[in-house]
Amino acid sequence: MQRVVNSSFILLVVALLVCSVYSVDLNEFLAQRERLLAEESSRILGGSVILNADEQLVNNVLMAAKTLEFDQSFSTLDFIPADHYFLAKPAMLQSEVFQFIQQMPKGAVLHIHDIAVTPLEFIINDASYRPNLYVCTPPQDPVFFQYASSAPANLLDCQWTLVADKREQEGPEQFDSWLRSKLSLFTLTPQETYPNINSVWTAFENTLIAGSGIITYAPVFTDYFYQGLQSFYDDNVQYIEIRTTLPQVYNLDGTLMDEVQVTQLYKDTFDRFKNDNPDFSGAKIIFAPLRRADSATMTKYVELASQLKAQFPDVVAGFDLVGQEDLGPPLKDFLSQLLAGAVDPDLHYFFHAGETNWHGTDMDENLIDAILLNTTRIGHGYAIAKHPSVMDLARSNGVPVEVCPISNQVLSLVADLRNHPAAMLFTNGFPLVISSDDPASWEAVALSSDFYMAFMGLAGKKADLRTLKQLAINSIMFSAMSTDEKNAAMAEWQKRWNSFILNKYNEYKTKHNQI
Ligand SMILES: *[C@@H]1O[C@H](CO)[C@@H](O)[C@H](O)[C@H]1NC(C)=O
Ligand SMILES: [Zn+2]
């Protein structure tokens, strides 16, 4: 009897167990799975964008190309955003997704630096062929360039020669490729050439020093920025904010222009470009001198920023500091100067912050200082995912991060862009814009290269046209334009977007009918 009870009891337990295993019905589970995926899909950057019928068709075609590229990469393990940009660029140029992004109206570029705005072709093929340019090549980089009516006084370890003479001696092709190598970080062996973050930053700053001697010659300066705007305009970007150290611009006789005169040069150039291209929404500058300064200099910088903002309210967006963040000094060293500047309600901050892998250091904590100083945007914010309270404040105050994927890769913060922390910002719909930082230094294609890397490498396989559309809208919304300027820029962008969608729609319809 006892045995019987025992075995039926066991049977009962087994039956209950079996029931509980199957108590979640498969269909029910799949429905939950769908709901969870849909919820995540709605939280992604652009998740609340609703596409109209034409946009949906264009999206289907875009996503077919993106899916194909992902699937091929998955089987070959050869994924463009996982590779160093220098090696991946030829494949990127061939990508259908990249070409789509190139044609797309992308709105604005909000994080870019003066000495690396314009494609090197302008300096190499135009500026360096102008008369009176001298070069001085010490045994160690940087090399120096200067336009002058006669050879400048020799430096300690090098003599000035006319570029025209050197070019003739060496042969133009040889000379021009040498010149390119002094202005660009590009190499087919990035890991060996730049083994660590300090070596790549040193080389980077050397390219900027070399370029600045050419760019800051007054007649070149204005043409250089005109061509810079042109390169973004051609890349379907309609508005630009340029961070500038406001370098001393010089004339042939050696006379120098001050910051007010240089700001006026920017204004004249922007006006000339807008006059030639009425559908361009404009450009502004952010005064961004080197962070390696003493406190007296910082006081002067902040006062100058206020003064320039008052004198050129439509041209000057605000203030920032530049230079390798890891080497400091951190923002907190200048709190009294920066708090004094914050008293001016018209002076806005656009601080670089968290462009570092050194979690918990003073430099990493620039994110804390930037957000408490009411920065309007955060440059890079590469480390922000490690600062949840900064993220909360940034989100509630509408402070976006300016994500520059290729810059972070070339300047050694991350190798494989799938590991870029902004991937988490995308999935959480965090306010962000994509920018290109110093496209000329790594020979990026204006804004499109970074858009492509963000779309493919950061946003995930399923991010679609809604994400791209939101990125473009964000770039205008988070710009330093006035409300009126923003409204006009949004209207212009919408017009361009509608015609882009219509063109793409017709292109695909035609292709489809032909098949
Ligand atoms: C930042 O903005 C808040 C809210 O407007 C204000 O209370 C605070 O004083 C500002 N901080 C600085 C440093 O300007
Ligand atoms: Zn920058």
Side-chain angles (χ1 to χ4, degrees), residues 111 113 243 352 355 380 437-438:
H111 186 124
H113 294 272
R243 280 165 164 90
H352 278 74
E355 188 186 5
H380 291 288
D437 209 10
D438 303 277

Side-chain angles (χ1 to χ4, degrees), residues 14-139:
V14 168
L16 280 172
L17 275 173
V18 167
C19 274
S20 69
V21 165
Y22 286 103
S23 72
V24 178
D25 167 74
L26 177 63
N27 289 330
E28 164 96 0
F29 185 91
L30 290 176
Q32 277 178 6
R33 192 176 185 282
E34 283 309 306
R35 275 199 298 277
L36 201 50
L37 281 171
E39 191 189 307
E40 290 207 327
S41 172
S42 75
R43 289 173 69 169
I44 195 174
L45 188 124
S48 58
V49 168
I50 294 169
L51 301 178
N52 67 28
D54 287 5
E55 288 172 329
Q56 278 173 30
L57 181 123
V58 172
N59 189 37
N60 292 342
V61 180
L62 167 68
M63 292 310 284
K66 181 173 183 178
T67 306
L68 182 67
E69 197 173 319
F70 252 84
D71 292 346
Q72 280 170 351
S73 302
F74 189 73
S75 61
T76 58
L77 293 184
D78 197 0
F79 186 48
I80 295 170
D83 219 350
H84 193 286
Y85 179 69
F86 294 163
L87 306 174
K89 186 178 173 185
M92 179 200 74
L93 294 174
Q94 297 299 314
S95 155
E96 213 175 296
V97 174
F98 174 75
Q99 288 160 10
F100 180 97
I101 285 172
Q102 262 189 312
Q103 292 160 27
M104 188 188 112
K106 289 173 283 294
V109 61
L110 302 182
H111 186 124
I112 184 160
H113 294 272
D114 48 7
I115 306 300
V117 169
T118 306
L120 298 179
E121 283 68 25
F122 168 76
I123 297 186
I124 297 167
N125 302 333
D126 178 337
S128 84
Y129 277 83
R130 297 186 188 190
N132 306 310
L133 178 59
Y134 288 84
V135 62
C136 154
T137 51

